[in-house]
Amino acid sequence: MDYQEKKSIVNILSTVIVLGIYYWTVFQRFDAEVMNTEAQLQFWAKAILIAIPISIGTKIVTIILFVIGNFIVSREKHPTFEDERDKLIELKATRNSYIIFGMGFLSALIVLAFGYPPKYMFIAFILAGISSEIFDNLSRLYYHRKGV
Amino acid sequence: MQKHGIENNIRKLRFEQDEMTQQQLAESVKVTRQTIVAIEKGKYSPSLELAFKIAQVFNRPLEEVFTYNPK
């Protein structure tokens, strides 16, 4: 398994673990409180806004830990540059993740259009965000392994 | 497996160049070793620019390094 493949797997695991724990606590808090629609909207907007720096921080910490851990285990250094194949893989992975996020966004609107409470719309947004992140890394893994 | 119908003789040419390593070839054309591995296995078709650079390293015309065999 090469460096980029390992990095994608580590990114998927860290996204699932950190965002999974974060949103689990958010849902616990949401279920514990009684709120009107306006307060619900504010609650979910805050929850998603807080998730953004958490997600960025997780990525940074994961990369640092991965680079150090991987160097200790395999003596493999972090690549200092990206070549044309890396850029092409990144472009295709980003395209795939946008498609997944777009579908999630559409699902959120459909949920709202069918008259479900705003909670479900935000759940769809959150799932779209997490799945697009996972799909991005899965795509990288796939293209590195199977070719691009 | 050649994914794009483009075949190459890089492995053979490396051998003829005193067993040039994939890393050495990668450094000569400024790509990662993984890209050379992918090209050799036919999992990645290089850009025209990279293909010319590889041919230049072996001092061969492009068509001696890469051949196109549509299926």
Side-chain angles (χ1 to χ4, degrees):
Chain A
M1 194 180 286
D2 77 18
Y3 184 88
Q4 301 294 348
E5 290 174 15
K6 284 187 264 183
K7 196 170 120 186
S8 299
I9 292 172
V10 170
N11 270 334
I12 292 171
L13 291 176
S14 75
T15 302
V16 170
I17 293 168
V18 175
L19 289 182
I21 291 172
Y22 171 71
Y23 282 118
W24 184 75
T25 57
V26 167
F27 280 107
Q28 297 288 314
R29 270 180 40 223
F30 182 79
D31 289 337
E33 290 176 37
V34 181
M35 290 180 268
N36 60 23
T37 311
E38 201 177 317
Q40 277 186 36
L41 290 174
Q42 202 178 13
F43 176 89
W44 287 110
K46 277 184 189 170
I48 291 176
L49 282 175
I50 293 169
I52 295 170
I54 288 177
S55 178
I56 295 169
T58 305
K59 263 194 167 179
I60 294 169
V61 172
T62 306
I63 288 173
I64 293 170
L65 291 178
F66 171 71
V67 169
I68 295 168
N70 190 53
F71 183 72
I72 292 168
V73 174
S74 62
R75 298 277 141 196
E76 196 178 9
K77 283 184 186 167
H78 180 69
T80 49
F81 67 98
E82 279 189 332
D83 62 20
E84 58 176 47
R85 178 170 157 270
D86 295 325
K87 284 176 189 158
L88 186 62
I89 289 174
E90 192 179 330
L91 272 175
K92 287 193 171 186
T94 306
R95 177 202 62 188
N96 295 347
S97 85
Y98 280 173
I99 291 170
I100 296 295
F101 188 78
M103 282 159 59
F105 187 82
L106 207 64
S107 319
L109 292 182
I110 291 169
V111 163
L112 207 59
F114 276 94
Y116 286 96
K119 174 189 173 181
Y120 295 103
M121 181 190 79
F122 284 103
I123 290 173
F125 273 142
I126 290 164
L127 286 177
I130 295 176
S131 9
S132 70
E133 180 70 27
I134 293 170
F135 214 76
D136 181 276
N137 284 296
L138 279 178
S139 302
R140 284 169 203 262
L141 189 62
Y142 175 83
Y143 291 128
H144 273 109
R145 218 159 233 210
K146 297 284 176 189
V148 59
Chain B
M1 189 187 84
Q2 305 296 325
K3 201 177 173 192
H4 306 274
I6 295 176
E7 290 172 0
N8 66 79
N9 299 315
I10 294 177
R11 175 71 196 88
K12 188 178 128 243
L13 291 166
R14 278 200 300 111
F15 180 76
E16 287 171 5
Q17 292 260 338
D18 284 339
E19 259 312 318
M20 175 191 261
T21 64
Q22 290 171 330
Q23 186 62 43
Q24 286 168 333
L25 176 59
E27 281 166 14
S28 312
V29 294
K30 294 189 173 52
V31 295
T32 60
R33 191 183 69 84
Q34 281 73 28
T35 296
I36 298 297
V37 173
I39 294 170
E40 276 191 17
K41 286 183 180 171
K43 287 182 177 178
Y44 174 63
S45 291
S47 67
L48 201 53
E49 186 188 353
L50 178 55
F52 272 113
K53 279 183 184 171
I54 292 171
Q56 225 166 35
V57 169
F58 296 120
N59 212 12
R60 303 285 175 103
L62 188 64
E63 60 272 20
E64 268 188 43
V65 184
F66 295 96
T67 44
Y68 181 54
N69 293 317
K71 310 236 155 52

